[in-house]
């Protein structure tokens, strides 16, 4: 199925709500959960979820949702996650991705990392305009959501679990809650040039959120998510 047909599958409002719910969870979602969350019947949810999978917008699998195994655990249920493949439509046709990759390749070969980061920080500051630095994690999440990062608050845990650094002799430090992002707007180029593009991304968010307010952005890469996290300043790691 081509990109136009795939995106057209979201025209139905129920189907769009189901897709948005599954995408926002960042994990496998069963039919019952999706139906309850969107306020539709399970049979209708199942129909639309399968149509989204046929369109290539969702991936499917199966597992026991009871958390039990062995006799009496029940049959595996069908589950859904957002597909990783990107879909885009441009009329007339444009190819900004190739241009971005060529520019990133040239910048990397020329050692222009510092200049790129400086430009990204200025762009972030320009996007923030005359507004004060971000006032807290809730405001940061609103700002990040508006730019497509899909932020979510990750509860306090271990630095090892949250992408932090282990202490001496393998000890794991405790971290405060951080804002992580399920989507990287620069994902395709970041996969090919991670140090360059992730550094650019960090600098952009430093400019956008500010560096002298109550929150800060820092690098904390984890597979499947944006390489940057946002945390409250002064929280101990």
């Amino acid at each position: 199925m081509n990109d136009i047909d795939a995106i057209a599958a979201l025209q139905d409002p129920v189907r769009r709500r189901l897709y948005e719910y599954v995408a926002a969870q960042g994990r496998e979602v069963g039919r019952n959960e999706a139906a309850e969350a969107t306020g539709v019947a399970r049979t209708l949810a199942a129909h639309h979820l399968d149509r989204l999978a046929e369109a290539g917008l969702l991936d499917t699998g199966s597992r026991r949702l009871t958390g039990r195994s062995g006799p009496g655990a029940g049959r595996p249920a069908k589950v859904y996650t957002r597909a990783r493949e990107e879909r885009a439509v441009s009329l007339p046709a444009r190819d900004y991705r190739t241009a971005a990759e060529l520019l990133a390749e040239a910048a990397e070969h020329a050692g222009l990392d510092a200049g790129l980061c400086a430009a990204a920080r200025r762009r972030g500051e320009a996007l923030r305009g005359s507004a004060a630095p971000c006032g807290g994690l809730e405001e940061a999440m609103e700002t990040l959501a508006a730019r497509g990062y899909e932020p979510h608050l990750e509860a306090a845990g271990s630095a090892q679990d949250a992408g932090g650094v282990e202490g001496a002799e393998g000890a794991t430090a405790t971290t405060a809650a951080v804002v992580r992002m399920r989507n990287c707007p620069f994902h395709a180029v970041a996969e090919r040039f991670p140090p360059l593009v992730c550094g650019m991304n960090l600098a952009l968010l430093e400019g956008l959120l500010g560096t002298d307010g109550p929150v800060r952005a820092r690098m904390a890469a984890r597979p499947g998510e944006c390489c940057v996290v946002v945390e409250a300043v002064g929280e101990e790691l």
Side-chain angles (χ1 to χ4, degrees):
M1 181 173 290
N2 62 40
D3 286 359
I4 293 178
D5 291 335
I7 294 172
L10 296 172
Q11 183 175 1
D12 183 281
V14 173
R15 199 173 299 159
R16 189 182 313 121
R17 291 206 309 274
L18 286 163
Y19 173 80
E20 289 172 349
Y21 178 77
V22 173
Q25 305 316 301
R27 56 173 173 79
E28 295 176 331
V29 174
R31 289 171 167 175
N32 288 342
E33 178 187 346
E36 183 176 352
T38 54
V40 300
R42 183 185 185 280
T43 52
L44 182 61
H47 167 73
H48 284 303
L49 289 167
D50 285 340
R51 287 291 301 275
L52 289 167
E54 291 170 6
L57 297 172
L58 297 180
D59 290 334
T60 62
S62 62
R63 67 178 177 87
R64 290 188 173 91
L65 300 177
T66 61
R68 303 193 303 271
S69 59
R75 298 174 58 187
K78 195 168 188 178
V79 292
Y80 304 83
T81 55
R82 179 171 59 180
R84 299 297 298 175
E85 184 179 358
E86 295 181 14
R87 300 285 187 175
V89 175
S90 175
L91 298 173
R94 297 290 187 262
D95 189 5
Y96 298 114
R97 175 173 172 175
T98 297
E101 290 178 346
L102 289 170
L103 290 169
E105 183 178 358
E108 187 174 75
H109 287 173
L112 299 178
D113 304 55
L116 176 62
C117 288
R121 193 171 291 105
R122 290 194 299 271
R123 174 58 63 91
E125 292 169 350
L127 291 170
R128 177 159 52 92
S130 60
C134 193
L137 292 182
E138 184 174 345
E139 183 181 340
M141 290 180 69
E142 293 176 358
T143 300
L144 294 166
R147 300 205 62 81
Y149 283 91
E150 299 182 9
H152 64 101
L153 191 64
E154 185 172 86
S158 70
Q160 189 174 22
D161 292 339
V165 180
E166 293 187 13
E169 298 181 1
T172 304
T174 300
T175 69
V178 298
V179 174
R180 283 192 171 271
M181 294 162 267
R182 293 195 175 99
N183 183 52
C184 172
F186 316 111
H187 173 73
V189 187
E191 277 196 319
R192 289 196 57 189
F193 309 95
L196 181 76
V197 178
C198 290
M200 177 200 74
N201 187 26
L202 174 60
L204 177 70
L205 293 182
E206 286 175 340
L208 183 64
L209 302 176
T211 56
D212 52 355
V215 301
R216 69 168 181 176
R218 65 176 175 86
M219 200 74 75
R222 189 164 70 182
E225 295 188 330
C226 178
C227 58
V228 177
V229 300
V230 177
E231 62 188 3
V233 174
E235 299 287 359
E236 293 185 359
L237 298 180

